[in-house]
Amino acid sequence: MLDYEAEAAHYDETRGGVPRAAAAAGAVLRLLPPGTRTLLDLACGTGLVTERIVRPGLTVYGADAAHAMLRVASVRLPGRTVRADARRLPLPAGALDAVSAVWLLHLVPFTEEIVAEAARVLRPGGVLLTTVDKDASHDVGSDIDALLRPHRSHAEGRDGARRVTALAAAHGLDPAPGTRFTGHGQGATPRGTATRLRRGYYASWFHGTDTDAAALGAALAALPDQDRPRPEPGYRLARFVRRG
Ligand SMILES: C[S@@+](CC[C@H](N)C(=O)[O-])C[C@H]1O[C@@H](n2cnc3c(N)ncnc32)[C@H](O)[C@@H]1O
């Protein structure tokens, strides 16, 4: 995983800024049942998405593990942020109407612990909204995708929709229709993808086989139009309802 203590300084400007955040927040709001009064945004990061979920009558909290990300979020959500690992939330069982997790599950190897913890803090009828298939959402048929796809297929699983749905069911969460949002400003460039590769974003794909990573880096560097963004991805937001 990237070092989010270091990412905080330039996170917003490199992740699609307000247009991406507004699209993600809009997707969360579309899936909230009427009457939802409390929501915890897990892995809220800088709070750019979280602050856009806030509505009259809906109290929105943010939790994140990284100090530096949370420092930015605490300005956007004064008094409503907490530093916490998503596996161990400082909340009693059944405390919340909704939990959201935008761009978290693809990052971590402990998907089940997070899903179980979200289920624990939701009341019966409460909803978990989470992105699934995040990296596969970038598969929009570009020349970059053609290079990444063989490596990505080995790594699928962390936030794979089928896997997350099975884990959710095992922890008392039933699937319900989800939605999608556009990753504004997230169209990949060859140079940007190579930089992410060097910075370790795809480390879990290679399991220490540096020669494969080096070959991918060389292939990315050979693509034309190094700074031209390819098409924007459409991210999936899945919904699960806590059984009564
Ligand atoms: C890609 S960012 C997403 C931030 C925000 N949800 C957004 O969409 O802009 C991932 C965030 O997950 C946080 N994170 C990673 N592992 C975590 C964990 N175990 N518990 C809580 N937060 C975690 C990181 O610190 C980072 O802020």
Side-chain angles (χ1 to χ4, degrees), residues 1-5 7-8 11-12 15 17 20-21 24 41-50 63-70 82-89 100-110 114 131 134 181 201:
M1 188 179 16
L2 288 177
D3 175 3
Y4 282 98
E5 300 295 353
E7 285 296 302
Y11 183 86
D12 290 350
R15 304 308 197 284
R20 192 281 302 185
D41 191 30
L42 278 185
C44 65
T46 62
L48 195 68
V49 174
T50 325
D64 201 280
H67 282 288
M69 298 291 274
L70 209 55
V82 62
R83 183 162 179 264
D85 189 309
R87 291 169 288 181
R88 286 178 293 279
L89 297 173
S100 54
V102 176
W103 288 3
L104 171 63
L105 293 187
H106 68 292
L107 292 173
V108 294
F110 37 78
I114 293 179
T131 45
K134 197 258 182 186
F181 64 94
Y201 183 86

Side-chain angles (χ1 to χ4, degrees), residues 146-162:
L147 295 179
L148 296 190
R149 199 177 302 119
H151 301 286
R152 184 187 292 136
S153 65
H154 295 303
E156 253 165 35
R158 283 181 171 179
D159 76 335
R162 270 198 304 195

Side-chain angles (χ1 to χ4, degrees), residues 202-221:
Y202 306 116
S204 64
W205 296 6
F206 296 103
H207 304 292
T209 52
D210 291 344
T211 43
D212 285 352
L216 176 59
L220 286 165

